[in-house]
Amino acid sequence: MTNGNGAPPEQAPPQLNVLAQYTKDLSFENPNAPSSLAPQQQQPAINIQINVSANNLSENEFEVTLSIEGKAENADKVMFSFELAYAGVFRIVNVPKENLHPLVMIECPRLLFPFAREIIATSVRDGGFPPLMLDPVDFVGLYRQNMERQAAAQAASGAKPS
């Protein structure tokens, strides 16, 4: 098909729109207060886990949830722990099907991350500790890691990759 001048019709540019952002779940625990708030001899060990999930709401709309869990421990005592599920609804149009999954699982959480980072920093500060400023996340690396894990699980189960 041409546009009348013999040239192929121009394709509409890809679009990614954020329709909504919201906290789905937030938990902060300071189980050993007030002793956990006293000056400590050493820095706590901080463990952070990050996961991304997505639900297809309609043909062009996706809910993407960025889940972040963290725990700070010192001398085998939990100083604080938190869980945050921060989500957004995204409208994605004019994106080739083969590029849709990486876009949803990489770019959408990348847009959500600064807001989730601020919620965590504020929650930790309000819990009586210095704000916890999470380092930037390599969502491309996280995506690749998850895809490799899925491929290995499929290979182990004898299923064909889709």
Side-chain angles (χ1 to χ4, degrees):
M1 186 189 279
T2 64
N3 65 4
N5 298 332
E10 286 189 33
Q11 190 170 5
Q15 290 183 6
L16 170 63
N17 302 101
V18 181
L19 303 180
Q21 292 180 216
Y22 45 92
T23 300
K24 287 185 83 163
D25 186 31
L26 174 62
S27 170
F28 180 86
E29 296 179 23
N30 188 351
N32 294 302
S35 64
S36 61
L37 301 174
Q40 304 293 315
Q41 297 291 343
Q42 61 189 29
Q43 290 289 332
I46 298 176
N47 183 18
I48 306 290
Q49 299 291 321
I50 298 176
N51 199 1
V52 177
S53 61
N55 294 320
N56 197 336
L57 301 176
S58 68
E59 183 181 346
N60 296 322
E61 293 182 6
F62 301 85
E63 178 191 49
V64 177
T65 303
L66 179 59
S67 300
I68 305 174
E69 295 180 24
K71 184 186 292 188
E73 295 178 294
N74 203 347
D76 293 330
K77 279 192 166 182
V78 174
M79 296 183 69
F80 65 82
S81 65
F82 62 85
E83 294 178 17
L84 172 64
Y86 191 75
V89 175
F90 298 87
R91 179 178 296 132
I92 302 172
V93 293
N94 302 323
V95 172
K97 190 171 180 105
E98 65 272 9
N99 297 341
L100 190 58
H101 190 258
L103 181 68
V104 168
M105 300 303 284
I106 296 169
E107 289 305 318
C108 294
R110 191 185 328 241
L111 292 170
L112 294 172
F113 181 75
F115 300 95
R117 181 180 192 245
E118 178 61 29
I119 291 168
I120 290 167
T122 300
S123 297
V124 172
R125 185 197 68 218
D126 289 349
F129 300 94
L132 177 61
M133 302 306 291
L134 297 178
D135 289 335
V137 174
D138 176 11
F139 287 104
V140 173
L142 184 63
Y143 177 76
R144 287 182 180 147
Q145 194 177 50
N146 286 337
M147 295 307 290
E148 289 170 5
R149 191 177 308 126
Q150 285 179 6
Q154 286 178 343
S157 69
K160 288 184 177 181
S162 53

